[in-house]
């Protein structure tokens, strides 16, 4: 591995990889390589400590028991927290939002402490949110609608230190009644969107890559990605 290699942390794919969200790391690697940036994925499992020195991190979705395992591991090995404090970008998907919050409640009503990287809490909704989700981004640097597939039962309430990633156009989103989706706090970007979300939202992928590299990225001309976006946005109408 050279000094200039972009290192992409795939965090706990053995327990936080239920919905194929590991694909987000693949998208980051491929979009970097297409620009001539050497990039590699560093897989961090329950057998590994979490390094704080990687350039960008991704976490995926999981079920209740796997969330508990992930929470315990991240508390025992707080490299992710230190990386975020140092400004390295973190992408957290679905259950990872809840793990990174202050606490979440299981379907049985048990409250489980999170790692408090995000100022939010999550309780169960009455009904599961399943289907296409489209939002209008609410953070600087993103201008195009975000789309993904939501499949969760969480009602996530943001505290004052967190702000929403987007305003819901189609779908449920955070489910707390305010028609917003995801959470952004410091260098952490979180969303309930599967897809993988970065395959469906190249602008978000490049937003994270730019933060990770500190460079202005040249645009990529990928008509097949544009076709995928149009198809998925049309499916949500």
């Amino acid at each position: 591995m050279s000094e200039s290699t972009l290192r992409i942390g795939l965090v706990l794919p053995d327990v936080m990889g239920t919905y194929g969200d590991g694909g987000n790391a693949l998208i980051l690697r491929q979009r970097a390589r297409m620009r001539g940036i050497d990039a590699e994925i560093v897989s961090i499992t329950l057998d590994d400590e979490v390094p704080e020195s990687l350039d960008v991190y991704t976490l995926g979705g999981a079920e209740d028991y796997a969330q508990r395992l992930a929470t315990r591991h991240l508390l025992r090995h707080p490299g992710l927290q230190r990386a975020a404090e140092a400004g390295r970008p973190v992408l957290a998907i679905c259950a990872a939002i809840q793990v990174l919050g202050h606490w979440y409640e299981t379907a049985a009503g048990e409250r489980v402490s999170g790692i408090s990287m995000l100022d939010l809490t999550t309780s169960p909704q009455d009904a599961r949110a399943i289907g296409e989700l489209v939002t209008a981004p609410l953070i600087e640097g993103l201008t195009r609608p975000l789309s993904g597939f939501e499949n969760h039962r969480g009602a996530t309430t943001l505290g004052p230190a967190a702000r929403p990633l987007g305003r819901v156009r189609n779908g449920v989103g955070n489910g707390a009644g305010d028609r917003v989706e995801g959470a952004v706090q410091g260098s952490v970007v979180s969303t309930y969107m599967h897809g993988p979300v970065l395959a469906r939202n190249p602008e978000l992928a490049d937003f994270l890559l730019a933060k990770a590299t500190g460079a202005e990225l040249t645009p990529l001309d990928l008509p097949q990605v544009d076709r995928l976006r149009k198809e998925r946005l049309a499916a949500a109408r």
Side-chain angles (χ1 to χ4, degrees):
M1 183 179 73
S2 73
E3 289 292 329
S4 60
T5 298
L6 179 74
R7 295 165 302 167
I8 303 160
L10 179 57
V11 182
L12 302 180
D14 45 344
V15 289
M16 301 287 283
T18 305
Y19 300 105
D21 297 309
N24 289 315
L26 295 172
I27 295 299
L28 289 173
R29 185 179 67 182
Q30 182 64 17
R31 293 185 73 85
R33 288 178 173 178
M34 293 179 77
R35 293 179 167 94
I37 301 168
D38 187 28
E40 69 173 15
I41 296 172
V42 179
S43 183
I44 304 154
T45 72
L46 288 175
D47 293 326
D48 306 311
E49 295 187 10
V50 182
E52 61 184 275
S53 58
L54 305 183
D55 299 298
V56 56
Y57 297 77
T58 69
L59 302 89
E63 304 301 333
D64 284 352
Y65 180 66
Q67 284 180 251
R68 293 170 186 266
L69 293 175
T71 302
R72 287 199 293 266
H73 193 77
L74 294 173
L75 287 171
R76 188 179 304 119
H77 305 289
L80 183 70
Q81 295 90 311
R82 295 193 188 113
E85 288 168 2
R88 296 186 177 91
V90 175
L91 175 67
I93 307 296
C94 198
I97 297 176
Q98 301 169 21
V99 169
L100 268 54
H102 297 307
W103 54 259
Y104 58 91
E105 286 185 11
T106 68
E110 181 183 358
R111 184 170 292 188
V112 181
S113 295
I115 67 173
S116 292
M117 280 179 65
L118 292 173
D119 184 17
L120 57 82
T121 59
T122 304
S123 301
Q125 299 184 73
D126 292 335
R128 194 169 188 85
I130 304 177
E132 292 291 325
L133 175 61
V134 177
T135 69
L138 292 173
I139 63 171
E140 185 177 355
L142 298 179
T143 61
R144 305 181 70 186
L146 298 167
S147 81
F149 189 87
E150 61 182 339
N151 182 3
H152 66 96
R153 199 182 165 190
T156 295
T157 301
L158 306 186
R163 53 199 171 111
L165 173 62
R167 185 164 300 283
V168 174
R169 291 183 178 177
N170 302 89
V172 175
N174 288 353
D178 46 9
R179 299 291 291 167
V180 297
E181 198 280 325
V184 179
Q185 186 172 334
S187 64
V188 182
V189 176
S190 63
T191 176
Y192 276 106
M193 293 182 181
H194 302 289
V197 65
L198 297 187
R200 294 174 59 159
N201 300 279
E203 186 181 49
L204 178 58
D206 287 349
F207 175 86
L208 295 167
L209 278 177
K211 298 284 187 185
T213 61
E216 185 174 341
L217 301 178
T218 56
L220 294 176
D221 182 18
L222 298 171
Q224 65 271 37
V225 175
D226 294 335
R227 289 196 296 271
L228 172 64
R229 277 188 55 76
K230 289 178 182 178
E231 174 192 303
R232 292 295 85 205
L233 288 168
R237 294 186 187 129

